[in-house]
Amino acid sequence: MSLKRLSIRGISYSQTQNGAYALVLKEVDGTRQLPIVIGAFEAQSIAIALEKELSPPRPLTHDLFKNFAERYSIVVKQVIIHKLVDGVFYSSLICERDKIEEIIDARTSDAIALAVRFKAPVFTYENILDEAGIQQNITPDKELSQDPVDSDEVVEELMSSTTDTKEDYSNYSLKELNKMLGDAVSREDYELAAQIRDEISKR
């Protein structure tokens, strides 16, 4: 069976499972998309890894795994989504240490979170795309391959699931907003940081 490379197309709040998120992977050089339901923590972890402006003062679980692996010269070379059973995707991490390759079983959400951190490619098999893939409604020349994921929206959705109101930051100066952003990240209050970052982006 041939492998098909995937890229992250986006993450959005799941319309079918309360409290869950849909990670959408897109077929590279193709028109199919592969939606995968993941938890809020994994969605946040992936979004933060993609968001350059948010840098946690302490490592998240997936950051810890990466730091641990690098300390012992272990590299995640690629991720393969190799099986789909009753709507559940099964994945493997292809790791290498001292030119010896090992295959490690992993949840797909964790595997993707690590792939982003290791800048490792993600693959799946043709039959999985045939079974679970959906066709895009846009043509390949209009796809979002250059900017595949809006991690801002993910953090915003994670924020909206826990808070009902947003504070108005329009009266703060950019200097004040940047200081508030740094303070929020230091406290690991990513929901608040997302709000402040959005106001900075508007300026």
Side-chain angles (χ1 to χ4, degrees):
M1 291 182 289
S2 62
L3 283 172
K4 297 291 184 179
R5 185 167 180 174
L6 305 170
S7 62
I8 297 177
R9 180 70 169 77
I11 310 175
S12 63
Y13 193 75
S14 174
Q15 302 300 314
T16 58
Q17 294 190 29
N18 194 22
Y21 288 78
L23 167 67
V24 181
L25 302 176
K26 179 197 163 299
E27 178 185 17
V28 175
D29 299 325
T31 60
R32 290 172 292 184
Q33 297 183 136
L34 190 66
I36 300 173
V37 176
I38 63 176
F41 170 78
E42 291 77 13
Q44 183 185 54
S45 180
I46 293 170
I48 288 175
L50 292 166
E51 178 57 64
K52 296 179 177 61
E53 292 181 25
L54 296 181
S55 179
R58 296 184 300 169
L60 302 178
T61 302
H62 298 108
D63 297 320
L64 174 62
F65 181 96
K66 181 176 185 287
N67 294 340
F68 182 89
E70 289 182 335
R71 183 65 59 90
Y72 291 94
S73 303
I74 301 169
V75 178
V76 174
K77 303 292 289 184
Q78 62 183 15
V79 166
I80 298 178
I81 303 171
H82 61 83
K83 187 167 64 173
L84 174 62
V85 179
D86 297 329
V88 178
F89 292 90
Y90 292 78
S91 296
S92 295
L93 299 172
I94 311 302
C95 303
E96 185 180 89
R97 180 174 183 266
D98 295 334
K99 297 183 179 180
I100 298 175
E101 194 171 272
E102 297 285 350
I103 300 175
I104 301 174
D105 182 45
R107 294 188 309 166
T108 299
S109 55
D110 291 328
I112 299 299
L114 291 172
V116 172
R117 286 164 168 81
F118 280 93
K119 295 180 173 55
V122 179
F123 298 92
T124 193
Y125 290 106
E126 179 77 33
N127 65 312
I128 292 178
L129 277 173
D130 287 340
E131 182 178 349
I134 56 175
Q135 288 290 337
Q136 289 181 223
N137 293 324
I138 55 177
T139 55
D141 61 327
K142 294 181 180 179
E143 62 190 303
L144 301 178
S145 58
Q146 298 302 315
D147 187 15
V149 64
D150 189 349
S151 53
D152 294 355
E153 291 183 4
V154 179
V155 180
E156 283 177 10
E157 288 175 355
L158 286 163
M159 173 196 64
S160 64
S161 66
T162 57
T163 58
D164 297 326
T165 59
K166 296 182 181 180
E167 186 175 339
D168 182 10
Y169 294 101
S170 59
N171 294 324
Y172 291 93
S173 69
L174 275 175
K175 183 177 180 180
E176 290 172 324
L177 288 171
N178 281 306
K179 183 179 184 304
M180 292 165 64
L181 176 62
D183 292 341
V185 172
S186 296
R187 296 194 307 272
E188 300 183 20
D189 188 346
Y190 302 118
E191 292 84 2
L192 177 61
Q195 293 183 53
I196 299 170
R197 189 235 17 253
D198 290 342
E199 180 62 32
I200 293 173
S201 298
K202 290 178 186 176
R203 309 287 182 92

